[in-house]
Amino acid sequence: MARSINVALIGNPNTGKTSLFNRLTGLNQKVGNYPGITVEKKEGVCKLDRGLKAHILDLPGTYSLNTSSLDESVVVETLLNKNSRDFPDVAVVVSDIENLKRNLLLFTQIKDLEIPTILVINMADRMERKAITLDIDLMEQELNTKVVLVSARKNTGIDALKEAITQYKTLSTNPCVQSSIIDPAYFDRLRAAYPNQLLYKLWLVITQDVNFGKVDRNRDFENIKKGSFAIKSEDDLKKLQHKETVVRYQFINGLLKKVHKIDAANAKDLRSKLDRILIHKIWGYLIFFMILLVIFQAIYDWSSYPMDWIDQLFASISTFIASSLPSGPLTSLLAEGIIPGLGGIVIFIPQIAFLFFFIALLEESGYMSRVVFLMDHIMKKFGLSGKSVVPLVSGTACAIPAVMATRNIEDWKERLITILVVPFTTCSARLPVYLIIIALVIPDQDVWWVFNLQGLTLMLLYLLGFGAAIFSAWVLNKVLPIQRKAFFVMEMPAYKVPMGKNVLITVVEKTKSFVLGAGKIIMAISIVLWVLASYGLGEQFTNAEQIVTQKYASQGLTESELEQKIASHELEYSFIGYIGKAIEPAVRPLGYDWKIGIAIVSSFAAREVFVGTLATIYSVENAEEETIKNRMKAEVNPILGGPLFTFASGISLLLFYAFAMQCMSTLAIVKRETNGWKWPAVQFSAMTLIAYFAALGAFQLLQ
């Protein structure tokens, strides 16, 4: 039986740690969350020589063990807790050939924990182009460990790394730096009080906020902060941390002078030339805007083909089941509930896959870091950072992948705010509602001989959504009682050609995460909505066919028209119909009747259901936009008389759908990303209230 060891993969962001993880594990990996928290946990298995198997844990990127974010706290907790199943037998610290000075700070800290540690210097293929030379033998002597040069991109050095991991028991665990010299008397007292504990672990427990998550910790460590060693003020501890960092960098500077040489005259560096253009205060924004136009145009065009095919496929399956199986509740559940529910999940896959494909390309190339840096100056005024711009822009395609894209945001408060405001941005699901309402209430005429009034209205709705998201972020930043744990630190990685394997793994994992995570919730709610629309009480529902047939017997309706009348009657007296009648007093001040109320309730499954629901209610044979529009124009307001869809009621509806959280798929994803129903409930309630009062104000002012 193969023996198994734990390997922790640790490193600064943008050192190629994920690429190395993918090289070691391939597709033999899984992604989940740490217990009780939203930080992503990536694990994989790598087979080594001599019957040894490595369980590799890809820890979140961190600049040091001085924690300032939830991600960094996970790293410290994992390295402190020997009782955890994830505690490493060997730590592999990944560094970047171009940023060794900064990367080695983390390495010296981990070495002080007396864990067998291997230093991996990644991107070795750049050494010749950058004219960098390293004395590896001398470096190993100075660091008292094994140093391995690798290139995850070129797949070189991987075998040497596997061999070093196999030989982990031969590695020295002696520290590189004696951190106790920053305050010898204090550390002597600490050593005397806890002689059986590692000194640097004690220091981390005292100085770090590592209480996130449900990770068990040694009880001795829990008692340290309650003892005499907690009496130093926070300012004094910060000063000691600063001294520790200075001492470590003194050691690192001395080391690099001996082992690291750069011949600048022979370097061939394109990075600085590109940065002068791509992060320029004017050209940088224009280039980013053009890239976004290309990306979202491609997403709309490319995803439309598979989405149409998926839509037709599931419609055909539903029709086949309905016609092939005996009629009854089970057939109806399959054809009208489960199959459409599955279709509602699968149809999002092309958009999610394409969006994460482009995001992966931007991240792999190094450009995404420039975007984040560029947008940070604007976004921080609203309580966000540059990292929030990607989810907000992604939300114009679909809020589901946009919420998933917030995983790149380390700070929990900033990530939560971004998750909560992303649904305000106008997604593609709102377009069917916008287009038909605008066609009903906004004149089709030109403005200033150039712009179409209906087109301008649509553009204003997009701007309104983005403005609402930014303003809401500013408000939430003021009111949420969550302390920030991180300052904005942005790494500028070198530009590189994206690795196809990394892009593929990213797309597969993100798409699978959506299908398996949110899909179960979406399916459950789809079935509930089917039950509400398919069943009812009373004679009006149970005898709908007889009642409708008698009512329209003299009108000579075709069989298809009669079926539509029966379907409309059943829907009116179904449970969801009663819900529509029940909420009519609430929606009447907005200018709506019970039919629109049903459409609003039904469209909770997905906003675009609004049009289809109205098509059924209005007994339209073919759910084509023009036919629905003509029928909607003829609707009479039961209270005020005259057309139901006026300029006032139309603007009211547009504002309601601009602000309302009418998307169970997004709520399911928010629940998954926040590990509970608290924030989805807050989000749904707040957005519904905002939508209601905005629609109410618009109708009352304009009628």
Side-chain angles (χ1 to χ4, degrees), residues 224-508:
I224 292 171
K225 288 187 178 181
K226 301 175 184 177
S228 60
F229 295 99
I231 61 175
K232 276 189 178 292
S233 68
E234 187 174 338
D235 286 343
D236 288 340
L237 290 175
K238 290 293 183 186
K239 288 177 182 177
L240 286 180
Q241 282 183 294
H242 179 69
K243 284 184 179 180
E244 178 199 345
T245 304
V246 170
V247 167
R248 293 187 184 281
Y249 272 125
Q250 286 174 342
F251 168 79
I252 293 167
N253 289 336
L255 169 71
L256 293 179
K257 283 180 182 178
K258 300 176 185 177
V259 304
H260 185 263
K261 306 294 181 186
I262 301 178
D263 185 2
N266 293 320
K268 306 165 186 176
D269 190 9
L270 183 63
R271 171 176 166 176
S272 56
K273 296 177 183 177
L274 288 173
D275 277 347
R276 279 196 290 270
I277 300 172
L278 295 178
I279 59 176
H280 188 271
K281 60 183 179 181
I282 296 174
W283 301 117
Y285 291 104
L286 289 175
I287 292 170
F288 176 52
F289 181 71
M290 292 303 297
I291 289 173
L292 288 180
L293 281 179
V294 172
I295 287 175
F296 285 109
Q297 186 64 44
I299 288 174
Y300 280 115
D301 284 347
W302 295 359
S303 64
S304 64
Y305 298 105
M307 288 177 79
D308 289 344
W309 180 82
I310 290 169
D311 200 17
Q312 292 173 6
L313 175 66
F314 278 90
S316 300
I317 294 173
S318 293
T319 303
F320 175 77
I321 289 175
S323 60
S324 301
L325 297 180
S327 60
L330 180 59
T331 300
S332 181
L333 173 61
L334 285 171
E336 300 171 18
I338 293 177
I339 299 302
L342 276 173
I345 299 166
V346 176
I347 200 168
F348 284 114
I349 289 178
Q351 278 191 332
I352 291 171
F354 280 127
L355 185 61
F356 278 110
F357 170 75
F358 285 114
I359 290 177
L361 287 181
L362 296 180
E363 289 178 341
E364 279 281 305
S365 66
Y367 178 67
M368 188 62 79
S369 297
R370 272 77 184 176
V371 172
V372 170
F373 174 81
L374 197 64
M375 297 300 297
D376 181 64
H377 179 70
I378 297 173
M379 303 299 289
K380 68 183 180 183
K381 296 177 182 178
F382 301 97
L384 302 175
S385 75
K387 294 185 179 181
S388 299
V389 74
V390 177
L392 289 175
V393 172
S394 303
T396 59
C398 179
I400 295 166
V403 170
M404 293 167 67
T406 62
R407 294 175 181 179
N408 294 328
I409 303 173
E410 293 89 354
D411 179 51
W412 169 239
K413 181 175 183 179
E414 182 186 323
R415 182 184 176 198
L416 177 62
I417 291 174
T418 308
I419 288 172
L420 294 178
V421 305
V422 153
F424 278 118
T425 56
T426 299
C427 66
S428 58
R430 286 182 169 101
L431 280 178
V433 182
Y434 285 173
L435 292 175
I436 197 166
I437 300 300
I438 288 173
L440 279 171
V441 302
I442 304 297
D444 184 10
Q445 63 185 50
D446 292 337
V447 180
W448 302 314
W449 302 283
V450 178
F451 302 105
N452 181 274
L453 193 59
Q454 293 182 338
L456 283 175
T457 304
L458 184 61
M459 185 187 73
L460 287 173
L461 287 168
Y462 270 85
L463 293 176
L464 178 65
F466 191 78
I470 294 296
F471 178 74
S472 300
W474 179 79
V475 173
L476 288 170
N477 184 52
K478 300 291 184 184
V479 302
L480 282 181
I482 304 174
Q483 291 187 349
R484 289 193 178 276
K485 296 292 181 181
F487 297 100
F488 179 74
V489 179
M490 190 67 252
E491 173 73 19
M492 287 293 189
Y495 295 100
K496 55 186 183 290
V497 177
M499 288 179 62
K501 184 175 183 179
N502 287 351
V503 173
L504 176 63
I505 289 175
T506 297
V507 172
V508 170

Side-chain angles (χ1 to χ4, degrees), residues 14-40:
N14 297 306
T15 55
K17 183 167 60 70
T18 299
S19 297
L20 186 60
F21 177 73
N22 290 338
R23 283 293 185 192
L24 291 170
T25 62
L27 289 172
N28 191 18
Q29 56 183 253
K30 60 180 181 179
V31 179
N33 281 359
Y34 286 89
I37 53 177
T38 57
V39 175
E40 195 169 80

Side-chain angles (χ1 to χ4, degrees), residues 503-566:
V503 173
L504 176 63
I505 289 175
T506 297
V507 172
V508 170
E509 288 298 331
K510 300 292 186 184
T511 306
K512 186 171 70 173
S513 178
F514 162 72
V515 173
L516 299 181
K520 293 177 288 188
I521 300 172
I522 296 170
M523 176 63 68
I525 298 179
S526 296
I527 293 172
V528 170
L529 288 174
W530 170 83
V531 171
L532 292 176
S534 301
Y535 292 93
L537 297 173
E539 184 181 352
Q540 290 289 339
F541 182 85
T542 55
N543 296 327
E545 183 174 355
Q546 180 182 348
I547 293 171
V548 172
T549 302
Q550 291 177 354
K551 181 178 180 181
Y552 294 100
S554 61
Q555 296 187 16
L557 297 179
T558 65
E559 184 179 349
S560 178
E561 290 173 335
L562 185 62
E563 287 178 357
Q564 283 289 342
K565 293 289 185 183
I566 294 170

Side-chain angles (χ1 to χ4, degrees), residues 62-77 80 109 204-205 207-212 225 238 241 484-487:
T62 179
Y63 289 99
S64 76
L65 298 185
N66 299 328
T67 62
S68 60
S69 72
L70 186 59
D71 284 8
E72 293 172 341
S73 296
V74 166
V75 177
V76 176
E77 289 276 7
L80 287 184
Q109 288 179 311
L204 288 179
V205 171
T207 56
Q208 306 308 312
D209 183 7
V210 285
N211 295 315
F212 298 104
K225 288 187 178 181
K238 290 293 183 186
Q241 282 183 294
R484 289 193 178 276
K485 296 292 181 181
F487 297 100

Side-chain angles (χ1 to χ4, degrees), residues 1-4 50-53:
M1 183 178 294
R3 293 182 298 117
S4 179
R50 304 171 195 176
L52 193 63
K53 183 172 67 174

Side-chain angles (χ1 to χ4, degrees), residues 19-230:
S19 297
L20 186 60
F21 177 73
N22 290 338
R23 283 293 185 192
L24 291 170
T25 62
L27 289 172
N28 191 18
Q29 56 183 253
K30 60 180 181 179
V31 179
N33 281 359
Y34 286 89
I37 53 177
T38 57
V39 175
E40 195 169 80
K41 181 179 185 178
K42 294 179 70 177
E43 302 172 275
V45 175
C46 175
K47 292 183 179 179
L48 305 173
D49 293 336
R50 304 171 195 176
L52 193 63
K53 183 172 67 174
H55 169 255
I56 299 178
L57 181 65
D58 183 12
L59 290 173
T62 179
Y63 289 99
S64 76
L65 298 185
N66 299 328
T67 62
S68 60
S69 72
L70 186 59
D71 284 8
E72 293 172 341
S73 296
V74 166
V75 177
V76 176
E77 289 276 7
T78 302
L79 296 177
L80 287 184
N81 190 1
K82 279 193 173 182
N83 296 322
S84 169
R85 73 176 186 88
D86 291 330
F87 185 79
D89 296 294
V90 57
V92 176
V93 178
V94 184
S95 61
D96 171 4
I97 187 65
E98 296 183 60
N99 296 289
L100 275 178
K101 180 178 178 179
R102 187 191 60 250
N103 300 159
L104 284 172
L105 173 66
L106 177 63
F107 172 83
T108 61
Q109 288 179 311
I110 294 173
K111 197 78 165 61
D112 277 14
L113 294 174
E114 298 187 5
I115 297 171
T117 306
I118 299 169
L119 176 64
V120 170
I121 301 177
N122 194 16
M123 307 178 193
D125 53 301
R126 295 187 193 159
M127 291 178 66
E128 183 177 353
R129 189 168 69 252
K130 301 288 183 180
I132 298 173
T133 57
L134 278 177
D135 188 336
I136 299 297
D137 292 336
L138 181 56
M139 200 172 189
E140 289 182 337
Q141 291 177 25
E142 295 287 328
L143 295 177
N144 204 8
T145 193
K146 181 68 177 176
V147 179
V148 183
L149 275 176
V150 306
S151 171
R153 171 173 302 280
K154 302 289 186 180
N155 198 25
T156 60
I158 304 300
D159 290 338
L161 174 57
K162 289 181 179 179
E163 178 61 25
I165 294 173
T166 304
Q167 299 282 349
Y168 76 96
K169 289 186 177 179
T170 65
L171 298 174
S172 170
T173 56
N174 293 332
C176 297
V177 181
Q178 293 297 331
S179 55
S180 59
I181 65 174
I182 61 177
D183 191 337
Y186 180 79
F187 278 84
D188 284 344
R189 294 199 311 273
L190 189 59
R191 186 183 290 108
Y194 298 93
N196 297 323
Q197 296 294 342
L198 188 62
L199 192 61
Y200 193 62
K201 281 190 178 181
L202 297 173
W203 172 243
L204 288 179
V205 171
I206 290 170
T207 56
Q208 306 308 312
D209 183 7
V210 285
N211 295 315
F212 298 104
K214 298 178 181 178
V215 182
D216 295 330
R217 186 191 298 163
N218 190 308
R219 290 185 180 179
D220 287 344
F221 291 158
E222 290 288 355
N223 294 328
I224 292 171
K225 288 187 178 181
K226 301 175 184 177
S228 60
F229 295 99

